[in-house]
Amino acid sequence: MFLRLEILTEDKIGMTYEIVGQFYRLNLNIISLEVFPNRLCVKTEIIEDSMKEKLKENIYDIHGVLSIEEIDLLKHETSEKKLFATIDSMGTGVIAVNKDFNIEIFNFYCEKFFKIKKEEVIGSHVGKLFEENTSIREIILKGEKFDNVKFKIDKGKRANSYIGSLRPIKGEYSKENGFVISIKDFHNAIKMANVVLNSNEGAFKDIIGTSDLIKSTKEIVCEVAKSDSTVLLRGESGTGKEIFAKAIYNLSKRKDKGFLAINCAALPDNLIESELFGYEKGSFTGALSGKNGLLKEANGGTVFLDEIGELPLSIQAKLLRVLQEGCIRRIGSSKEEKIDVRIIAATNRNLEEMIWNNKFRKDLYYRLNVMPIYIPPLRERKEDIISLVEYFIEKLNAKLNKNISETHEEFLQELGAYDWPGNVRELKNVIERAMILSKGNVLKRTNIEIHIPSVKGRAKEFVPQGKNLKEMVETLEKNIIEKELKNNDSIRKIAKRLGVSHTTIINKMKKYNLISNES
């Protein structure tokens, strides 16, 4: 505890000397002294009330002293506390080191990040904080300026990654008097980078990554969005083609109009035409009234045609008419209607090979391929895995009622070693599964379950035992359809893969009480 006095005086020479002399006469140690025009602030050790009164009387006896008041803090102490409060509230770690390399400031962020109290490190050599990593220690002890160097600190079984910068503290004649290290959590720094990169009207908020491939794809999207030209998104399944389609829409002049996503593979063969183009009353059995098609309903907006390669040739011809003339014709109608829609198509199929095999129209291909954009697979941008993991954890914590806050280095290394044939969609599923299996708030290598199916393993798993032939065939049939449904493919694509009709698969699902992800 301390006694702090603020003493107001007249503007006279020698006032400070006389007042300080009264402290020394009573054998009181002055800890801190602030001198201003007509004002003196003194900090001393706490004393008994009788001595305090004696001190005040002696000071008042000095000619020119106007008032004496006890205060809570001296001016420099108030400024210091404000500074430390500001430093502690920062979302960045701050370590201030003096010229002898001893730590003088170690803020609250650093306490949380290093899992150590400031009282344990203040006054100690900064090298001890980094003694587990000699390369980091050597860089820091040079005391030279550096920016955004990635470090790793091992704490038991956990490895923390961070980005650090250093600034020397220079005196009046450029003599170094220590330095300040600023620290940012590596994963949070990636998040912040994504915020900056994704700031274009929020269009890229769900496109996560800072790799060169993703940056260049985003740049192309920004340019393509300015026009009304047809866009063809090419890429493997699970790369996020619909998310890029929405980004184009959100950056376009049609962003205030509608966005309609149509999965061409999900539309039954016998309903594709009526769903897309509409129909007139009485045009077929059950058409008790006319109906607008999806393309007409989207008039003025943007239509995303996913899995465009799954459209039958007959529908491809009608779609070509939409792209060439901006016209549609309902089933049963002799009149064409003008529509104004922007088409964004997507496929994971090899359209060029389909053209060669007469399964896709060449003229439609050229109409769609005005602005092709290639969406890179995850295996070609593995540097984005960490930021994707952080993004999915944040999204899934609420959904799963979890509080995952950390990932082990081995966990991330395992994810980086895998080639991700299912791309971002597969990564999300793996993260969700890992979070469900995790018993704490840290994702570990043991939480990862990546299943790579093999033909031999699947056949062995499917073969039922101990039943008659009919029951064995039904069980096998049910298992095969159930497995196909778990791949998140459409019923129409499953039917094509298994060599049966769309209706057959629906009937089998009803028979075995199976549910599709389309439901």
Side-chain angles (χ1 to χ4, degrees):
M1 297 292 290
F2 300 99
L3 171 66
R4 297 173 179 87
L5 298 178
E6 181 183 58
I7 305 165
L8 300 182
T9 69
E10 295 177 355
D11 187 10
K12 291 178 59 178
I13 297 175
M15 291 298 296
T16 300
Y17 177 78
E18 290 188 54
I19 292 171
V20 169
Q22 297 302 323
F23 284 83
Y24 289 140
R25 287 187 181 93
L26 295 175
N27 202 27
L28 298 176
N29 181 35
I30 295 178
I31 298 170
S32 183
L33 177 67
E34 293 178 343
V35 180
F36 307 95
N38 303 333
R39 181 162 63 97
L40 192 70
C41 296
V42 186
K43 177 181 177 181
T44 186
E45 295 171 355
I46 195 72
I47 54 179
E48 294 180 358
D49 290 342
S50 58
M51 183 172 287
K52 184 195 303 182
E53 293 304 317
K54 177 65 175 174
L55 174 64
K56 289 182 179 181
E57 288 176 8
N58 291 347
I59 295 174
Y60 268 123
D61 287 340
I62 299 172
H63 183 68
V65 171
L66 302 176
S67 66
I68 303 172
E69 182 181 352
E70 294 185 31
I71 57 177
D72 291 328
L73 294 170
L74 270 60
K75 184 177 178 62
H76 81 274
E77 290 179 315
T78 301
S79 299
E80 186 178 83
K81 284 186 177 293
K82 286 180 181 178
L83 175 62
F84 282 127
T86 302
I87 292 173
D88 269 340
S89 67
M90 292 172 64
T92 301
V94 177
I95 302 173
V97 178
N98 63 24
K99 63 181 180 180
D100 297 319
F101 295 93
N102 294 325
I103 297 172
E104 292 186 342
I105 296 176
F106 191 82
N107 73 342
F108 182 66
Y109 183 100
C110 287
E111 286 186 309
K112 290 174 62 179
F113 191 73
F114 287 94
K115 309 295 183 186
I116 187 171
K117 291 291 184 182
K118 67 175 66 178
E119 291 79 12
E120 299 177 43
V121 296
I122 295 295
S124 64
H125 196 280
V126 69
K128 292 182 180 179
L129 199 60
F130 302 93
E131 60 186 357
E132 298 294 330
N133 194 317
T134 54
S135 60
I136 300 171
R137 192 173 185 274
E138 289 174 4
I139 294 172
I140 288 175
L141 293 183
K142 287 180 181 178
E144 298 174 356
K145 175 184 173 181
F146 62 77
D147 286 297
N148 299 323
V149 175
K150 185 181 177 183
F151 298 144
K152 188 184 294 181
I153 298 293
D154 294 318
K155 292 290 182 182
K157 295 182 178 179
R158 186 184 69 257
N160 288 332
S161 296
Y162 64 89
I163 294 174
S165 300
L166 184 146
R167 290 291 181 275
I169 301 170
K170 295 185 180 292
E172 186 176 352
Y173 300 103
S174 296
K175 185 178 180 180
E176 293 186 1
N177 287 280
F179 51 84
V180 175
I181 305 169
S182 64
I183 294 173
K184 298 176 184 176
D185 182 272
F186 179 66
H187 305 310
N188 288 337
I190 289 176
K191 283 184 183 178
M192 290 301 297
N194 276 321
V195 169
V196 173
L197 289 171
N198 298 343
S199 60
N200 200 338
E201 301 180 29
F204 297 132
K205 64 184 176 64
D206 293 319
I207 300 175
I208 307 303
T210 57
S211 63
D212 290 340
L213 280 173
I214 282 296
K215 285 180 183 177
S216 62
T217 306
K218 288 178 179 178
E219 289 171 2
I220 294 170
V221 165
C222 288
E223 292 304 313
V224 167
K226 296 175 184 177
S227 73
D228 264 344
S229 298
T230 303
V231 180
L232 180 61
L233 300 174
R234 308 289 296 267
E236 298 175 7
S237 179
T239 51
K241 293 184 286 296
E242 183 171 347
I243 298 174
F244 277 92
K246 287 180 179 177
I248 295 171
Y249 161 72
N250 285 322
L251 290 168
S252 74
K253 62 185 180 182
R254 295 177 183 260
K255 65 182 179 180
D256 296 325
K257 305 292 184 179
F259 177 86
L260 179 63
I262 302 172
N263 188 328
C264 299
L267 296 172
D269 289 345
N270 58 340
L271 294 178
I272 290 179
E273 186 176 3
S274 62
E275 287 294 318
L276 289 178
F277 300 99
Y279 53 84
E280 293 290 335
K281 178 181 178 180
S283 56
F284 54 83
T285 303
L288 302 178
S289 61
K291 179 185 175 183
N292 285 331
L294 294 173
L295 293 175
K296 178 68 175 179
E297 292 293 335
N299 194 30
T302 302
V303 175
F304 174 56
L305 297 175
D306 198 9
E307 304 290 359
I308 192 74
E310 304 299 324
L311 281 180
L313 286 168
S314 59
I315 305 302
Q316 291 179 29
K318 295 198 71 170
L319 180 60
L320 178 63
R321 182 73 177 159
V322 174
L323 294 173
Q324 285 179 329
E325 307 296 337
C327 295
I328 60 169
R329 180 181 292 172
R330 291 187 182 194
I331 297 174
S333 174
S334 59
K335 297 180 180 180
E336 287 191 333
E337 299 178 73
K338 278 282 187 181
I339 61 168
D340 173 30
V341 295
R342 185 187 193 176
I343 300 293
I344 302 175
T347 184
N348 59 8
R349 301 283 297 274
N350 186 333
L351 296 183
E352 294 77 12
E353 184 179 317
M354 291 180 69
I355 292 170
W356 179 260
N357 293 324
N358 295 318
K359 292 182 177 180
F360 200 84
R361 295 181 62 107
K362 184 185 292 187
D363 47 6
L364 177 59
Y365 169 78
Y366 288 124
R367 282 288 177 180
L368 291 172
N369 205 38
V370 176
M371 287 302 306
I373 300 177
Y374 172 71
I375 311 301
L378 187 54
R379 65 178 175 276
E380 292 180 5
R381 57 181 189 104
K382 287 188 176 181
E383 58 266 51
D384 290 331
I385 287 177
I386 293 177
S387 51
L388 282 164
V389 169
E390 294 288 336
Y391 173 78
F392 289 136
I393 288 174
E394 185 176 345
K395 287 282 186 182
L396 293 169
N397 264 334
K399 174 186 173 182
L400 302 176
N401 195 26
K402 290 276 189 173
N403 187 30
I404 303 297
S405 58
E406 295 182 41
T407 53
H408 273 184
E409 194 70 20
E410 294 81 3
F411 178 88
L412 297 174
Q413 288 173 354
E414 187 72 16
L415 298 182
Y418 184 55
D419 274 342
W420 302 104
N423 293 292
V424 177
R425 182 189 296 130
E426 184 183 8
L427 175 62
K428 180 183 177 183
N429 291 341
V430 168
I431 296 303
E432 184 168 355
R433 188 158 52 240
M435 291 175 67
I436 292 170
L437 294 174
S438 175
K439 295 181 180 178
N441 65 345
V442 180
L443 292 185
K444 304 176 183 178
R445 165 64 188 87
T446 53
N447 298 137
I448 298 178
E449 285 193 12
I450 300 176
H451 301 293
I452 306 174
S454 65
V455 175
K456 181 179 178 181
R458 288 173 66 186
K460 186 175 181 180
E461 179 184 352
F462 284 168
V463 175
Q465 302 293 329
K467 296 185 177 181
N468 61 47
L469 181 60
K470 181 184 177 183
E471 290 176 334
M472 289 174 69
V473 170
E474 289 180 343
T475 301
L476 182 59
E477 187 176 60
K478 177 185 176 182
N479 287 344
I480 291 172
I481 296 173
E482 191 172 28
K483 284 286 183 180
E484 292 290 344
L485 290 170
K486 285 183 178 178
N487 290 332
N488 293 319
D489 281 339
S490 68
I491 296 172
R492 191 159 176 265
K493 290 180 74 174
I494 292 171
K496 281 189 174 182
R497 190 156 54 240
L498 297 180
V500 296
S501 70
H502 177 270
T503 305
T504 299
I505 294 296
I506 291 176
N507 290 336
K508 296 290 184 184
M509 288 171 60
K510 290 179 180 177
K511 177 180 177 180
Y512 300 125
N513 196 28
L514 299 176
I515 299 175
S516 166
N517 288 328
E518 295 178 23
S519 315

